[in-house]
Amino acid sequence: MPSHAEKKQGSLAIVGLGPGNMEYMTPRALRVVAAADCILGHSSYLRPLEPLLTGKTVISSSMGKEVDRAKQAIELAGSNAVAIVSGGDAGVYGMASIVLEVLEHSGRVLDVEVIPGITAANAAASRAGSPLSGDFAVISLSDLLTPLDVIEKRLDAFFSVGIPVVLYNPKSRGRPHNLALAVVHARKYLDGTTPVAIVRNALRDDEETIITTLEEIETSIEKIDMHTTVIIGGSESRIWRMGDDVKGIITPRGYHRKYVY
Amino acid sequence: MPSHAEKKQGSLAIVGLGPGNMEYMTPRALRVVAAADCILGHSSYLRPLEPLLTGKTVISSSMGKEVDRAKQAIELAGSNAVAIVSGGDAGVYGMASIVLEVLEHSGRVLDVEVIPGITAANAAASRAGSPLSGDFAVISLSDLLTPLDVIEKRLDAFFSVGIPVVLYNPKSRGRPHNLALAVVHARKYLDGTTPVAIVRNALRDDEETIITTLEEIETSIEKIDMHTTVIIGGSESRIWRMGDDVKGIITPRGYHRKYVY
């Protein structure tokens, strides 16, 4: 079929950028962003990518426009290499689900790739020793998309089995009290001395990590904002010390039940 | 202090390598491995790093020697730049917790860095659409370090609140029946049509992804081995189709409760 103009074959990559620092972005994510014709994403996620964006169509948008952004990405992917980016992992409170929902609804057939990234649970945990270690749960305290009673039931289930719990979106202007509510549920099952890590801007500039406990978290609550991840330890978690310093949290995996060390 | 031989300052990095493919290993992990004097890890994780290992002390070991490996790493880190590596994320069923436990017990003071990697939950999810999307839990079915009754209670708690659950170590020679047990717990709360993703060798050679359901998982059970991650969808998860093909799982985040699309 040589005589008519070839229609360019499009593609759609849903890319997790990780914490927002190129040192923790995968080569695969970097390569796909560099090769894309069009990049869509929230402006704060696009900023660290600026050196890669020259000559591309860049569509930055603000929070809360995810459905529009998904529609636009799918439209463009008909004839362009499109990358739509999320902070962290695209499949965890990121763009993957809404893009795939809108794509399915559109009935289109496209070449789609989801590229994972380091999600805030793992980024934050790495700055606080080994607070997760084994089984854990991840939950967002935002009640924009999930009713608050569902969030509370889930928190209750997680804390009742003594696993570490990672709180995404622990506090924002719209929901200043959800974190206090989470602590109330935690205290039903866990000692006040259970360690808590508060990690702000994990693996980014202005990173700050506070190691505290359930009974003392109140004194650090004004440090917590929408760039913060909170990890509440499980029933076996304890403070990790080196010399005289509190360094983080250790949740033992259970080797102490099998070995002497 | 010029006249006496300087004692070389040691350091200890606990490095998550991600899925085991350099395309998904972070630049930070790569850099730290490349700069290390000594590398310790399970031989299967060291293999993809071979080009970086020339001239280094390489101590590879087999599974089940984690305590010895941790002790050796800490000993060497007194005067060497040491990297001890884990597949996935070092803080999730990796080496971080045991190394920090042994380090604390030793009373030594060392320069320590935990470097996160993409854990199997995120790697596997990326090959199956968007099965996690929001809140989820991660649990290992291995009862080597956690008693089986604790595992069962946790499974029950997770499934009872309808979230997607990621199963690590779903099957091995020592525990062929734990996966069937997990399915029994899931069926107490979830429809038989609940989608399940079985992802073997996620983002590695010989990758294979099977999308099935709770009531049909039995027919795929012989495909599941220790290199497999299983994701059981939550109460809102559904099969994702493109054209006539089953492509994966979508767990909606809840935009459908707020927007029309």
Side-chain angles (χ1 to χ4, degrees):
Chain A
M1 314 164 208
S3 66
H4 64 81
E6 257 183 76
K7 184 163 187 325
K8 198 172 156 198
Q9 182 67 40
S11 65
L12 179 59
I14 309 169
V15 184
L17 300 177
N21 170 333
M22 301 281 261
E23 278 291 282
Y24 297 93
M25 185 172 160
T26 66
R28 180 69 192 151
L30 199 66
R31 203 182 304 282
V32 167
V33 166
D37 304 311
C38 310
I39 312 274
L40 297 93
H42 183 260
S43 48
S44 66
Y45 303 139
L46 293 175
R47 210 165 302 128
L49 301 177
E50 252 164 42
L52 301 174
L53 301 183
T54 320
K56 298 181 190 306
T57 304
V58 176
I59 302 172
S60 75
S61 55
S62 44
M63 286 297 176
K65 297 282 182 193
E66 290 83 2
V67 175
D68 294 343
R69 210 185 304 151
K71 284 183 179 171
Q72 212 171 2
I74 290 160
E75 188 59 45
L76 286 164
S79 55
N80 295 280
V82 173
I84 182 163
V85 302
S86 283
D89 183 87
V92 180
Y93 312 110
M95 289 299 296
S97 62
I98 188 63
V99 171
L100 298 184
E101 277 189 81
V102 173
L103 174 61
E104 192 177 52
H105 196 75
S106 76
R108 296 191 185 205
V109 174
L110 275 181
D111 178 10
V112 177
E113 179 180 0
V114 179
I115 300 171
I118 291 176
T119 182
N122 302 117
S126 76
R127 309 313 285 166
S130 187
L132 304 181
S133 304
D135 308 339
F136 68 97
V138 159
I139 186 166
S140 168
L141 297 188
S142 167
D143 50 12
L144 287 176
L145 298 172
T146 305
L148 190 58
D149 65 309
V150 171
I151 296 173
E152 289 195 64
K153 280 204 187 82
R154 290 176 179 176
L155 287 167
D156 216 59
F158 300 156
F159 292 128
S160 75
V161 291
I163 52 161
V165 177
V166 185
L167 308 177
Y168 283 56
N169 300 307
K171 210 171 78 181
S172 75
R173 264 178 314 178
R175 40 179 189 280
H177 306 302
N178 291 6
L179 178 60
L181 203 58
V183 172
V184 168
H185 284 283
R187 287 302 308 273
K188 289 199 264 174
Y189 305 100
L190 298 166
D191 283 348
T193 56
T194 303
V196 175
I198 298 170
V199 187
R200 209 173 141 263
N201 288 323
L203 301 171
R204 292 190 296 273
D205 292 344
D206 301 319
E207 179 185 272
E208 187 178 10
T209 300
I210 298 169
I211 305 299
T212 180
T213 61
L214 273 179
E215 64 197 356
E216 288 179 352
I217 192 176
E218 192 58 37
T219 61
S220 303
I221 227 141
E222 85 285 359
K223 295 275 193 177
I224 298 170
D225 63 15
M226 59 179 291
H227 304 288
T228 305
T229 303
V230 174
I231 302 175
I232 298 183
S235 53
E236 299 202 65
S237 305
R238 57 182 173 75
I239 299 287
W240 163 42
R241 284 189 176 77
M242 191 155 54
D244 295 329
D245 295 336
V246 167
K247 297 286 284 181
I249 297 172
I250 292 176
T251 301
R253 274 199 60 199
Y255 290 105
H256 59 285
R257 287 191 278 272
K258 293 201 74 172
Y259 304 99
V260 176
Y261 47 87
Chain B
M1 314 162 209
S3 65
H4 64 82
E6 259 183 76
K7 183 163 189 323
K8 198 171 156 198
Q9 181 67 40
S11 65
L12 179 59
I14 310 169
V15 184
L17 300 177
N21 170 333
M22 301 282 262
E23 278 290 282
Y24 298 93
M25 186 173 159
T26 67
R28 180 70 191 152
L30 199 66
R31 203 182 304 281
V32 167
V33 167
D37 303 312
C38 310
I39 312 274
L40 297 93
H42 183 261
S43 50
S44 66
Y45 303 139
L46 293 174
R47 211 164 303 127
L49 300 177
E50 252 164 41
L52 301 174
L53 301 182
T54 321
K56 299 181 190 307
T57 304
V58 176
I59 302 172
S60 74
S61 55
S62 44
M63 286 298 175
K65 296 282 182 193
E66 290 84 1
V67 175
D68 294 343
R69 209 185 305 152
K71 284 183 179 171
Q72 212 172 1
I74 290 160
E75 189 58 44
L76 286 164
S79 55
N80 295 279
V82 173
I84 182 163
V85 302
S86 284
D89 183 88
V92 179
Y93 312 110
M95 289 298 294
S97 62
I98 188 63
V99 171
L100 298 183
E101 278 190 81
V102 173
L103 175 60
E104 191 176 53
H105 196 76
S106 76
R108 296 192 186 204
V109 173
L110 275 181
D111 178 10
V112 178
E113 179 180 1
V114 179
I115 300 172
I118 290 175
T119 183
N122 302 116
S126 76
R127 309 313 285 166
S130 186
L132 304 181
S133 306
D135 308 340
F136 67 98
V138 159
I139 185 164
S140 167
L141 297 188
S142 167
D143 51 10
L144 288 176
L145 298 171
T146 305
L148 190 57
D149 64 310
V150 171
I151 296 173
E152 290 195 64
K153 280 204 187 84
R154 290 175 179 177
L155 286 168
D156 216 59
F158 300 155
F159 293 128
S160 75
V161 292
I163 52 161
V165 177
V166 185
L167 307 178
Y168 284 56
N169 300 306
K171 210 170 77 180
S172 75
R173 263 178 315 179
R175 39 181 190 282
H177 306 301
N178 291 6
L179 178 59
L181 204 57
V183 173
V184 168
H185 284 283
R187 288 300 308 272
K188 289 199 264 174
Y189 305 101
L190 298 166
D191 282 349
T193 56
T194 303
V196 175
I198 298 170
V199 187
R200 208 172 142 264
N201 288 323
L203 302 171
R204 292 189 296 273
D205 292 343
D206 301 319
E207 179 184 272
E208 187 178 10
T209 301
I210 298 168
I211 305 299
T212 181
T213 60
L214 273 179
E215 66 198 354
E216 288 180 351
I217 191 175
E218 193 57 38
T219 62
S220 303
I221 226 141
E222 86 284 0
K223 296 274 193 179
I224 297 170
D225 64 13
M226 58 178 290
H227 305 289
T228 305
T229 303
V230 174
I231 302 175
I232 298 183
S235 53
E236 299 202 65
S237 304
R238 58 182 172 76
I239 299 286
W240 163 42
R241 283 188 177 80
M242 191 156 53
D244 294 330
D245 295 336
V246 167
K247 297 286 285 181
I249 298 172
I250 293 176
T251 301
R253 275 199 60 198
Y255 292 104
H256 58 286
R257 288 191 278 271
K258 294 200 73 170
Y259 305 98
V260 177
Y261 48 87

